Amino acid sequence: MLPEARERAALLTDVHTEVHLDLTSPEDFGVEATISFACTQPGASSFLELNGGTDVTLDGQPAPYADGRIALTDLGATNTVRVTARMPYVHDGDGMTEVVDPADGERYVCAHTSMDITQKVIPCFDQPDIKSTFTVSVTAPSHWTVIANGRLASREGDTWSFERTPPFSSYLFTLVGGPWVSVTWDERYAPAPGGTLPFGWHARASQEPELRRDADELRRITSACFQHYTTVFEPEYPYADFQQVFAPGLNWGAMEFPGCVVYRDEALKKGTPTELEREWVASTIAHEMAHMWFGDLVTMTWWEDSWLNESFADFMGYDVAGTAAGYTDAWTSAAITRKPAGYRADRRRSTHPIAEDTEKIVDVDTAFANFDMITYAKGNASLAQLGHWLGEEDFLAGVNTHLTAHAFGNADLAAFLDSLDAATDKDVRGWAQAWLRSTGFDTLRVTRDTSVDGPGVPVLTREGSRPHRLTVSAYDSSMRLVDSRDVHLGDEPVRLEEFAGRVVVPNSGDETFAVIRPDDESWAAITAGLSAVESQLTRAMLWWTAVDLTESQVIAVADLVALADQHLRPETHPVVFEGVMRALQLVTRRYAAPDEVAGHLAVIADIARGAVEGGDPLLAPGASRVLARLSADADFLVDWLAQDDVDQSVRWAAVHRLAELGDSAHIDVEAARDQSVSGHHAALRARAAVPTAEAKAETWARLMGGELGNHEFDAVGEGFWGWEQADLLRPYLSRYVIDGLALARRSGQGMGDVIGDAFPQLPLTAEARLELRTAVAAALEGDVPTVLARSWNDSLDDLDRTL
Ligand SMILES: [Zn+2]
């Protein structure tokens, strides 16, 4: 934490911000803010942040304004300052984001803030441990609806006024305006005046059919999660309403603004969502709602404890999606999609303790880079293990002590441990040292003690340093479950006498965060009978183990594909099927040699074809997309497109694949048919895939030209690096490094992030991988913006695993 931030937090208290925003001009927007606050040392000086303002005044005079700061001098015990300014809209998702919907030309304005972005919208003390109450009013075009953190108090003419909010951190400030379509209801809540709170879902006008289609389910999930949280958490829901918006241009997947949660608008799918996508929506609703308590009511003091927000919300998201909202396979989804991202992140050099060292967070960009899969996926898995180790009741008691003690304030790791410690006799500080303050993960290995008579006795050993509580299961040779037991594993190996002669699977309930290495006999039985394992959660964990063995180069990509050929075809669980399909594609892209790719894709596409032809309505949406995306049969794809009942996302997958195969004739036709935002991105993706030198050159100029919005950049980057285009794309490996760096230097955090995401991911020869490695490593010797540098270092680590 920077000394000046620490000093300012000690100096300023009782902040209230009254702000009026004028959104009527599409050119820029007006801000008038009156900020009152107390100062603990009268006579001291401080400052307000305001980033990019013009015509800035302070108390009616030209402001002492430089380098994004308004100087405040000779402060009294209480102070009121008035700031006015004109502020620019942005198109990179970092600030007051202005988006025009291509479907109908309607304009939307969304304050996408978080981290240190709110200062691009309003003047503020922009750090998490100075909380302010807010009273907001907004003047907007007359056909708009405006939604903000506070509950709507009145609308007079074109001006919307919102009630004063409880105190929260500046990074949580938001408002959104536009001709939204809305589904609203009054949610039962006894402590609220009148016994109910206003709730709503809102989407762009052009997404009305999708919002109407999904409204019942969105409302059902929201209501179930709200009733659950308000039952288990002791502090009351802190805000006066709960609005949720599918907001265009958002860089994050979703953001937990108090009383006004925003989601990426593409989460409201035009086509039929897959089971993983449906589950993502449910767990994300539960995740963001958990933040109303974890993060918004009680906020980390400084960014090294961002895990206190995100690990908790992520854990709650999966847990509550299952227990309250009926998505009972949420943990199966986590096992095959979320936790693997945590293991991958934990293998990289950039790994860090879940609770990071304070001095490592030198600035907000470094903190931004730590919103990673250590903080989300590993933190989530570690808290799941903590709950399992402590027992649910004690865990929840500790959590409630924490929430109650720090309501409307800030807290750090030490405060959290104090709260947990009060709820249990167990050594939570020792647990935290082992799990939260360390890096890496343990390996749980099974060996056989054959020194005794009879079949070998399995012995479970931990390589690592953490205590684990987990389920270990025994199977017969055809993978029928025989028995399970609860095991506490620490420094001492655990002998499993009763499992002698059995196939042994540690962590069969996926309770802990550790990779497993079964003994050879067990692994042979697992690979022979994987699809016969009854529990989908255990299957998911075992599939991840096979993926992990591939990424660790213990088995070949071809072995994994062969395992899928045998055991994914009979798989009927949609989450396992889709999760493994995703993993197969990722592994093929990263680890396969160029001359193996066509063979692997053919197998994966054929597994998908089997599921499509099998007609299972839960498997078909995901499998159809994979088939359309990977099939090498152009005639088949063209015939598919000619049918008129094909799902929109499947159509775009087929158009993309045809473009990749050299037939770009379908792109314009489809773009005319689907003029939505997602259609616009899909068309960009498909055009970027066209495999000619001219098309690639044109696409490249567009990608690096600096004119694309973040989501457009993402789409073009995804399409550009085609599966089978290694030769054609060879010249762009080094250009990516040079041009990407130049673009990042003239852009913000959000763009740095998407440039990193556009790292060449395609099957390359060892020589080409080495060339790419050398170019990136050389660039990293120089001056690379923090967010991009982190992303490139991670990509280098991933690349090194393939070399
Ligand atoms: Zn979150």
Side-chain angles (χ1 to χ4, degrees):
M1 181 168 178
L2 299 172
E4 68 170 6
R6 200 185 308 255
E7 197 178 294
R8 189 166 67 167
L11 200 60
L12 307 180
T13 62
D14 299 313
V15 184
H16 175 61
T17 305
E18 202 159 320
V19 64
H20 177 76
L21 294 137
D22 183 349
L23 306 180
T24 48
S25 164
E27 306 304 322
D28 59 2
F29 65 99
V31 179
E32 296 173 44
T34 303
I35 301 168
S36 56
F37 55 96
C39 174
T40 55
Q41 293 170 40
S45 299
S46 193
F47 59 92
L48 277 164
E49 283 103 342
L50 185 69
N51 195 328
T54 54
D55 304 329
V56 183
T57 70
L58 176 66
D59 297 327
Q61 302 298 318
Y65 176 60
D67 300 327
R69 292 178 172 192
I70 298 167
L72 305 173
T73 53
D74 193 19
L75 295 172
T78 59
N79 305 271
T80 300
V81 297
R82 201 172 144 267
V83 176
T84 67
R86 297 300 299 179
M87 301 293 293
Y89 294 113
V90 300
H91 302 97
D92 63 359
D94 280 350
M96 192 68 111
T97 302
E98 187 185 44
V99 174
V100 174
D101 187 334
D104 56 12
E106 290 288 0
R107 187 166 73 98
Y108 293 84
V109 170
C110 304
H112 293 324
T113 58
S114 86
M115 303 295 291
D116 60 347
I117 303 295
T118 299
Q119 57 189 279
K120 294 171 95 173
V121 178
I122 58 169
C124 55
F125 301 115
D126 209 359
Q127 62 185 78
D129 55 344
I130 300 182
K131 293 195 171 184
S132 173
T133 50
F134 293 88
T135 305
V136 175
S137 61
V138 178
T139 303
S142 53
H143 69 300
W144 281 19
T145 301
V146 181
I147 307 159
N149 298 109
R151 180 174 175 165
L152 183 66
S154 67
R155 181 186 176 181
E156 283 171 41
D158 294 343
T159 297
W160 302 67
S161 299
F162 298 88
E163 289 176 3
R164 182 178 175 133
T165 68
F168 56 76
S169 306
S170 56
Y171 79 91
L172 294 168
F173 176 87
T174 198
L175 57 98
V176 300
W180 307 108
V181 289
S182 303
V183 173
T184 62
W185 73 98
D186 290 327
E187 179 71 26
R188 175 174 55 83
Y189 186 48
T196 62
L197 283 181
F199 273 47
W201 277 100
H202 313 270
R204 285 184 282 106
S206 65
Q207 287 189 302
E208 179 162 8
E210 291 79 27
L211 183 65
R212 300 266 173 248
R213 178 197 65 197
D214 293 353
D216 287 351
E217 181 64 356
L218 291 169
R219 175 178 168 169
R220 191 192 65 75
I221 298 166
T222 303
S223 181
C225 292
F226 185 78
Q227 296 302 337
H228 178 83
Y229 285 131
T230 51
T231 305
V232 299
F233 290 151
E234 281 168 10
E236 287 179 10
Y237 174 71
Y239 311 106
D241 67 345
F242 190 73
Q243 308 299 333
Q244 298 177 92
V245 186
F246 290 105
L250 182 67
N251 286 335
W252 307 83
M255 181 67 204
E256 66 268 22
F257 299 117
C260 183
V261 175
V262 296
Y263 300 82
R264 278 198 176 204
D265 53 356
E266 65 253 45
L268 188 57
K269 292 278 170 214
K270 200 169 166 67
T272 309
T274 67
E275 287 306 295
L276 269 182
E277 286 168 347
R278 282 174 12 90
E279 188 278 321
W280 184 89
V281 169
S283 61
T284 306
I285 291 170
H287 173 126
E288 301 309 325
M289 201 187 289
H291 274 313
M292 297 301 117
W293 287 265
F294 270 104
D296 296 2
L297 177 66
V298 179
T299 310
M300 76 253 140
T301 302
W302 199 249
W303 299 108
E304 72 267 15
D305 281 320
S306 55
W307 73 278
L308 273 172
N309 286 8
E310 295 308 338
S311 304
F312 261 101
D314 218 61
F315 166 66
M316 291 285 174
Y318 283 91
D319 205 46
V320 173
T323 53
Y327 285 79
T328 49
D329 294 321
W331 286 116
T332 300
S333 154
I336 190 64
T337 62
R338 196 65 158 179
K339 279 176 88 168
Y343 294 117
R344 289 183 187 114
D346 213 6
R347 279 209 167 103
R348 296 180 184 132
R349 270 162 287 185
S350 66
T351 188
H352 53 87
I354 293 168
E356 177 62 295
D357 302 336
T358 306
E359 66 273 16
K360 296 270 175 62
I361 305 297
V362 293
D363 56 23
V364 177
D365 279 359
T366 309
F368 177 92
N370 273 7
F371 279 84
D372 57 10
M373 283 300 141
I374 296 296
T375 300
Y376 287 84
K378 183 185 178 185
N380 167 347
S382 301
L383 289 176
Q385 170 64 195
L386 174 63
H388 191 62
W389 180 75
L390 279 181
E392 200 176 337
E393 207 169 298
D394 288 355
F395 178 62
L396 191 60
V399 162
N400 271 319
T401 302
H402 182 72
L403 291 174
T404 304
H406 305 285
F408 299 109
N410 299 80
D412 59 11
L413 170 63
F416 176 63
L417 294 179
D418 286 345
S419 302
L420 279 185
D421 194 45
T424 177
D425 295 337
K426 291 193 168 131
D427 176 17
V428 288
R429 288 194 175 78
W431 184 92
Q433 196 62 34
W435 276 92
L436 302 177
R437 299 285 297 132
S438 64
T439 60
F441 51 84
D442 296 351
T443 300
L444 309 184
R445 202 174 284 281
V446 180
T447 53
R448 298 272 166 176
D449 179 2
T450 50
S451 65
V452 288
D453 286 343
V457 173
V459 180
L460 182 62
T461 314
R462 177 204 66 188
E463 290 168 12
S465 56
R466 297 160 188 83
H468 299 268
R469 183 181 172 194
L470 68 159
T471 306
V472 181
S473 293
Y475 296 82
D476 69 12
S477 57
S478 45
M479 295 309 290
R480 270 189 296 267
L481 182 67
V482 176
D483 197 7
S484 290
R485 66 174 265 200
D486 184 36
V487 170
H488 287 260
L489 182 64
D491 295 336
E492 295 302 316
V494 173
R495 285 176 65 82
L496 303 160
E497 306 276 357
E498 71 275 35
F499 292 169
R502 295 298 188 189
V503 176
V504 174
V505 176
N507 205 24
S508 53
D510 204 33
E511 296 99 345
T512 197
F513 188 77
V515 295
I516 64 161
R517 292 291 179 264
D519 58 290
D520 291 345
E521 260 171 68
S522 293
W523 186 246
I526 290 165
T527 52
L530 178 52
S531 45
V533 174
E534 193 185 345
S535 155
Q536 65 263 20
L537 180 61
T538 309
R539 285 204 303 284
M541 189 279 298
L542 288 169
W543 273 111
W544 153 248
T545 302
V547 171
D548 172 49
L549 287 167
T550 315
E551 296 187 5
S552 303
Q553 305 206 22
V554 176
I555 66 173
V557 180
D559 297 333
L560 181 68
V561 173
L563 192 69
D565 201 12
Q566 188 183 350
H567 291 296
L568 203 53
R569 290 182 189 276
E571 180 61 62
T572 55
H573 197 279
V575 163
V576 177
F577 184 86
E578 193 181 346
V580 176
M581 283 302 233
R582 284 190 190 181
L584 286 171
Q585 293 173 74
L586 181 147
V587 166
T588 302
R589 236 182 216 290
R590 284 196 188 160
Y591 292 87
D595 59 358
E596 294 176 340
V597 176
H600 294 333
L601 294 188
V603 176
I604 302 167
D606 198 57
I607 296 170
R609 181 194 296 270
V612 173
E613 287 170 357
D616 183 332
L618 294 181
L619 293 181
S624 302
R625 273 191 242 167
V626 174
L627 177 57
R629 183 68 195 85
L630 301 186
S631 172
D633 185 344
D635 293 341
F636 165 75
L637 293 171
V638 171
D639 287 348
W640 206 357
L641 280 174
Q643 298 168 25
D644 43 73
D645 59 343
V646 181
D647 191 88
Q648 188 60 62
S649 50
V650 175
R651 297 187 65 85
W652 275 118
V655 168
H656 184 180
R657 184 57 176 161
L658 282 165
E660 212 166 49
L661 296 170
D663 175 4
S664 60
H666 308 272
I667 304 173
D668 287 344
V669 181
E670 203 61 32
R673 184 189 160 114
D674 175 13
Q675 296 181 354
S676 67
V677 174
S678 54
H680 170 64
H681 292 149
L684 285 172
R685 201 175 289 122
R687 282 196 191 94
V690 175
T692 65
E694 300 72 39
K696 289 294 180 190
E698 210 174 288
T699 300
W700 192 256
R702 192 161 191 204
L703 183 66
M704 293 298 172
E707 299 294 313
L708 294 176
N710 285 16
H711 294 200
E712 293 174 323
F713 189 98
D714 256 343
V716 175
E718 267 178 56
F720 189 79
W721 306 109
W723 294 99
E724 305 104 325
Q725 299 174 356
D727 290 342
L728 183 63
L729 296 173
R730 184 76 183 258
Y732 292 96
L733 299 180
S734 54
R735 287 190 62 182
Y736 163 74
V737 181
I738 296 162
D739 298 348
L741 179 55
L743 181 58
R745 280 189 177 140
R746 40 180 219 272
S747 315
Q749 281 167 0
M751 188 50 92
D753 207 33
V754 293
I755 293 168
D757 286 346
F759 193 87
Q761 295 270 359
L762 71 164
L764 294 169
T765 60
E767 188 196 353
R769 279 171 218 243
L770 204 57
E771 177 190 312
L772 177 60
R773 193 202 188 289
T774 308
V776 178
L780 283 167
E781 296 284 310
D783 182 24
V784 179
T786 305
V787 172
L788 181 62
R790 166 63 189 275
S791 182
W792 275 359
N793 273 308
D794 287 353
S795 294
L796 272 194
D797 278 7
D798 293 349
L799 200 57
D800 285 348
R801 292 182 67 76
T802 73
L803 284 167

